Amino acid sequence: NAGVTQTPKFQVLKTGQSMTLQCAQDMNHNSMYWYRQDPGMGLRLIYYSASEGTTDKGEVPNGYNVSRLNKREFSLRLESAAPSQTSVYFCASSGGLAGSSGIQYFGAGTRLSVL
Amino acid sequence: AQSVTQLDSQVPVFEEAPVELRCNYSSSVSVYLFWYVQYPNQGLQLLLKYLSGSTLVKGINGFEAEFNKSQTSFHLRKPSVHISDTAEYFCAVSVGTASKLTFGTGTRLQVTL
């Protein structure tokens, strides 16, 4: 099993450009998450999807949009990239059901630079 | 809302020495606790978790952690570290197994000869 797959692995954008980060999981998980990781700040939740058809804002949603395309896929879109969005982005998934283990499984990350 | 504090941003240690990485949390309700490890240029992987039961939990690679409710702590320990343990370690908390995780800011463990 591939687990959680993120594409692309690296991306360089100019300020104002748009892009979509893709994430897919093959574990039949209900919940999916997008985080950003910045030095000294740990992981901060951008958006999450508790189940197919639902999305909710996390701690730092400004400047981002998400789409839960189906149970497998959860994309993150930057409509107009800004240098402050330079970061490493991680997608994660979990069973999401009460009583499940609560473990989140992470992709390898996307390193994004906005110039 | 819950929060997690990892006071040590970096912990240098010699190979074969013991190590403790500290994690404290705050929450008004019962929590579930996790330690994740991130090796250079990789995603996070689960090291161990506390959901219920015994307060001493064992994880992969010889790590263990103890849940202390009175001190609201979940410190990670290993009796003898290896060079390969060099990584960043994140403590995380949720208020339910179906809930979001809140992460600490991470502790970088640097193991040297």
Side-chain angles (χ1 to χ4, degrees):
Chain A
N1 283 342
V4 179
T5 303
Q6 290 183 237
T7 55
K9 286 185 168 45
F10 303 94
Q11 184 71 49
V12 178
L13 293 177
K14 294 181 179 178
T15 297
Q17 287 185 317
S18 62
M19 79 160 295
T20 300
L21 282 65
Q22 307 286 354
C23 175
Q25 53 91 8
D26 61 4
M27 295 173 282
N28 200 34
H29 283 165
N30 289 297
S31 300
M32 297 185 73
Y33 312 83
W34 276 106
Y35 295 91
R36 59 178 290 173
Q37 183 180 25
D38 302 292
M41 304 190 76
L43 276 78
R44 293 181 292 169
L45 184 65
I46 304 171
Y47 271 94
Y48 68 102
S49 171
S51 61
E52 186 179 357
T54 69
T55 60
D56 284 290
K57 294 178 180 179
E59 183 184 352
V60 288
N62 291 343
Y64 305 95
N65 285 300
V66 290
S67 295
R68 183 75 183 265
L69 304 170
N70 47 56
K71 192 172 186 178
R72 290 188 64 247
E73 298 172 289
F74 189 39
S75 63
L76 178 72
R77 183 161 179 84
L78 287 69
E79 290 291 351
S80 178
S84 60
Q85 294 179 304
T86 292
S87 188
V88 181
Y89 291 85
F90 288 100
C91 177
S93 71
S94 71
L97 298 175
S100 66
S101 68
I103 298 170
Q104 290 188 18
Y105 297 84
F106 286 79
T110 295
R111 293 181 178 275
L112 175 67
S113 291
V114 183
L115 306 177
Chain B
Q2 63 274 18
S3 65
V4 177
T5 302
Q6 292 181 250
L7 286 173
D8 305 307
S9 59
Q10 293 188 66
V11 173
V13 63
F14 290 112
E15 192 175 38
E16 297 183 6
V19 70
E20 178 180 85
L21 305 184
R22 297 180 294 168
C23 172
N24 287 88
Y25 68 92
S26 67
S27 175
S28 57
V29 297
S30 295
V31 297
Y32 300 94
L33 294 154
F34 304 81
W35 275 100
Y36 281 83
V37 59
Q38 183 182 31
Y39 298 104
N41 299 313
Q42 294 186 26
L44 279 71
Q45 62 184 87
L46 183 73
L47 206 53
L48 49 78
K49 65 183 185 293
Y50 172 79
L51 301 182
S52 64
S54 173
T55 57
L56 182 64
V57 293
K58 294 187 184 298
I60 61 172
N61 301 338
F63 283 93
E64 63 181 32
E66 185 158 18
F67 171 57
N68 188 319
K69 189 174 182 179
S70 63
Q71 296 187 4
T72 61
S73 68
F74 190 54
H75 301 331
L76 181 71
R77 301 184 183 100
K78 187 170 183 178
S80 176
V81 296
H82 301 287
I83 291 285
S84 58
D85 292 324
T86 293
E88 188 142 24
Y89 293 79
F90 292 94
C91 184
V93 63
S94 73
V95 295
T97 55
S99 297
K100 302 169 289 181
L101 288 177
T102 299
F103 284 87
T105 52
T107 297
R108 174 153 181 78
L109 177 64
Q110 181 69 50
V111 182
T112 55
L113 296 172

